């Protein structure tokens, strides 16, 4: 644990001022320094370059080139100088948590090889294998001999301090294993042009007499063809997306027209139903009016005929009574009957 604490302190210390990081920034080589420290270092480096090139003019117009204080890798600062270097937010967060008393060990990933249920915090991370190792798994699975001797082992905190959102894998998703030769366990270093395959140093014997190139130059040689094909695919992709957009618009238009025509049919149906109901009501009202009038007229005629029938019945009865009377009465009443009922 003491070794782990010392290791943690070393990771959180700037290699220029030898103090805890303050506003750390990251160089392209992944080494971090305090912004003020690398700024002062760049100024001194610039003075050294100016002294060495005192006969030259217009040096200020050239992007300043510095060497990393740790690995001496060249770095161009660009037009913005140190101000253009990206901040190492993750390292700053670790420093802040350490300074506030929060346990930084909580961020350290577990060993990638330990069995489930027996997780142990990692003590090393292999940048070649992309695997976190605890002390026991490191001795058993990654002995520093043979091909593994060239692998770079760093502390988990150093790995976390170098982690960026652009290219590094987060601690929740550990980095995948770098490609290596399955036969010899070595990293691929060469490209065999006739066989069109990458090989390691151990495979060279099997490819004797073949034209070989280093992997970076071979990749650069093949990139134009891939780029050309990519441009073609992007063009086809653009056309496909344009067609897809057209079909989507057509589909949307079909749905809109379906809804519009459905509404028109429903509207026409409601209008026709309303007109039919109005015609029905009008027809029924007309029928009631006409037949009611006819009924009144018929009732009046019926009443008149009934009165007339009653009168006729009375006349018939009077006539029958007259006929049944004595002759003298008949003769006396016939004249009046004729006058009355003519």
């Amino acid at each position: 644990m003491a070794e782990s604490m010392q290791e943690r302190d070393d990771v959180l210390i700037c290699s220029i001022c030898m103090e805890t990081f303050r506003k750390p920034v990251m160089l392209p080589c992944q080494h971090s320094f305090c912004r003020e420290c690398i700024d002062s270092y760049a100024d001194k480096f610039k003075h050294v370059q100016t002294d060495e090139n005192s006969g030259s003019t217009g040096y200020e117009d050239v992007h300043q080139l510095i060497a990393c204080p740790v690995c001496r890798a060249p770095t161009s600062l660009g037009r913005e100088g140190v101000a253009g270097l990206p901040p190492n937010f993750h390292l700053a967060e670790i420093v802040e948590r350490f300074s506030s008393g929060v346990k930084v060990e909580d961020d350290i990933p577990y060993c990638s090889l330990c069995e489930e249920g027996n997780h142990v915090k990692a003590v090393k991370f292999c940048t070649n294998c992309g695997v976190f190792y605890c002390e026991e798994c490191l001795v058993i699975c990654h002995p520093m001999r043979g091909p593994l001797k060239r692998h770079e082992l760093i502390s988990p905190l150093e790995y976390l301090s170098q982690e960026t959102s652009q290219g590094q894998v987060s601690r929740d998703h550990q980095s995948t294993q770098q490609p290596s030769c399955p036969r010899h366990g070595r990293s691929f270093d060469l490209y065999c042009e006739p066989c069109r395959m990458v090989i390691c140093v151990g495979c060279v014997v099997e490819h004797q007499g073949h034209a070989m190139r280093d992997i970076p130059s071979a990749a650069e040689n093949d990139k134009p063809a891939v780029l050309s094909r990519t441009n073609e695919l992007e063009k086809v992709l653009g056309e496909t997306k344009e067609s897809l957009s057209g079909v989507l618009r057509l589909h949307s238009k079909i749905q809109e027209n379906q809804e519009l025509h459905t509404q028109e049919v429903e509207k026409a149906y409601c209008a026709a139903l309303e007109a039919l109901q109005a015609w029905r009501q009008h027809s029924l009202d007309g029928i009631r009016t006409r037949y009611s009038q006819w009924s009144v007229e018929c009732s009046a005629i019926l009443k008149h005929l009934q009165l007339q029938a009653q009168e006729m019945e009375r006349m018939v009865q009077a006539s029958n009574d007259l006929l049944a009377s004595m002759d003298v009465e008949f003769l006396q009443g016939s004249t009046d009957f004729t006058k009355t009922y003519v």
Side-chain angles (χ1 to χ4, degrees):
M1 179 61 69
E3 182 181 354
S4 176
M5 293 289 293
Q6 180 63 39
E7 181 184 71
R8 181 185 66 183
D9 294 343
D10 292 342
V11 172
L12 302 181
I13 290 178
C14 172
S15 58
I16 296 179
C17 65
M18 301 306 294
E19 296 180 0
T20 305
F21 283 107
R22 301 182 305 277
K23 297 180 179 180
V25 293
M26 184 183 299
L27 298 183
C29 61
Q30 303 298 307
H31 287 115
S32 298
F33 308 92
C34 300
R35 183 178 292 277
E36 293 182 1
C37 293
I38 199 65
D39 193 14
S40 301
Y41 174 80
D43 286 340
K44 295 178 181 179
F45 208 91
K46 183 175 181 180
H47 293 325
V48 172
Q49 289 182 333
T50 304
D51 294 339
E52 293 177 353
N53 302 276
S54 57
S56 62
T57 58
Y59 176 79
E60 292 75 12
D61 296 333
V62 180
H63 294 179
Q64 184 181 0
L65 188 68
I66 66 171
C68 173
V70 175
C71 65
R72 311 307 297 175
T75 299
S76 177
L77 295 180
R79 295 184 180 276
E80 298 181 2
V82 174
L85 293 175
N88 192 334
F89 293 112
H90 192 76
L91 179 58
E93 180 183 355
I94 294 177
V95 172
E96 182 179 357
R97 293 183 65 182
F98 173 69
S99 301
S100 61
V102 178
K103 292 184 178 181
V104 183
E105 285 82 357
D106 294 341
D107 288 339
I108 297 179
Y110 289 101
C111 175
S112 305
L113 303 181
C114 286
E115 296 293 335
E116 185 176 356
N118 188 33
H119 290 308
V120 179
K121 292 287 186 178
V123 297
K124 291 294 181 182
F125 175 78
C126 178
T127 59
N128 301 87
C129 301
V131 176
F132 289 96
Y133 296 94
C134 65
E135 293 182 359
E136 183 178 356
C137 292
L138 181 66
V139 174
I140 298 175
C141 305
H142 201 288
M144 294 303 291
R145 59 178 181 271
L148 300 178
K149 187 176 182 179
R150 294 183 296 175
H151 288 197
E152 180 184 9
L153 295 176
I154 61 175
S155 69
L157 285 177
E158 186 176 355
Y159 165 79
L160 294 177
S161 68
Q162 295 176 359
E163 188 180 35
T164 61
S165 59
Q166 289 78 17
Q168 298 291 330
V169 179
S170 69
R171 54 183 174 274
D172 295 326
H173 299 83
Q174 300 172 2
S175 61
T176 57
Q177 184 175 355
Q178 295 294 328
S180 59
C181 178
R183 297 183 57 188
H184 303 96
R186 300 179 179 180
S187 60
F188 293 114
D189 300 309
L190 299 172
Y191 178 76
C192 179
E193 293 186 339
C195 300
R196 297 189 62 82
M197 60 182 297
V198 290
I199 61 175
C200 70
V201 176
C203 300
V204 172
V205 177
E206 302 174 8
H207 296 263
Q208 287 184 355
H210 293 187
M212 298 184 187
R213 302 179 65 176
D214 61 282
I215 291 179
S217 64
E220 288 297 326
N221 184 65
D222 285 355
K223 282 181 180 179
V226 176
L227 179 60
S228 176
R229 180 56 178 165
T230 302
N231 293 334
E232 294 177 1
L233 292 175
E234 288 179 347
K235 181 179 179 181
V236 174
L237 176 61
E239 295 173 351
T240 303
K241 286 185 176 180
E242 185 176 355
S243 299
L244 177 61
S245 178
V247 173
L248 287 175
R249 289 194 299 269
L250 177 60
H251 184 259
S252 178
K253 192 66 176 178
I254 290 174
Q255 291 180 325
E256 292 178 2
N257 290 339
Q258 178 184 359
E259 182 65 22
L260 178 62
H261 291 162
T262 301
Q263 293 177 357
E264 290 178 350
V265 170
E266 289 292 341
K267 184 177 180 180
Y269 167 76
C270 292
L273 183 60
E274 183 178 355
L276 185 61
Q277 290 176 339
W279 171 84
R280 173 178 175 272
Q281 188 64 41
H282 176 73
S283 300
L284 292 176
D285 291 343
I287 291 173
R288 293 190 189 97
T289 301
R290 287 194 300 273
Y291 281 88
S292 177
Q293 182 179 357
W294 293 343
S295 179
V296 171
E297 294 176 355
C298 184
S299 296
I301 295 172
L302 179 61
K303 186 175 183 180
H304 173 73
L305 292 176
Q306 287 176 344
L307 293 175
Q308 188 176 7
Q310 291 175 0
E311 181 65 19
M312 288 293 110
E313 288 179 353
R314 190 176 65 81
M315 289 173 61
V316 169
Q317 184 64 41
S319 177
N320 289 330
D321 290 344
L322 181 62
L323 292 174
S325 64
M326 300 298 288
D327 292 340
V328 175
E329 293 176 352
F330 173 77
L331 291 175
Q332 289 177 345
S334 62
T335 303
D336 294 336
F337 179 82
T338 304
K339 291 180 180 180
T340 303
Y341 296 105
V342 172

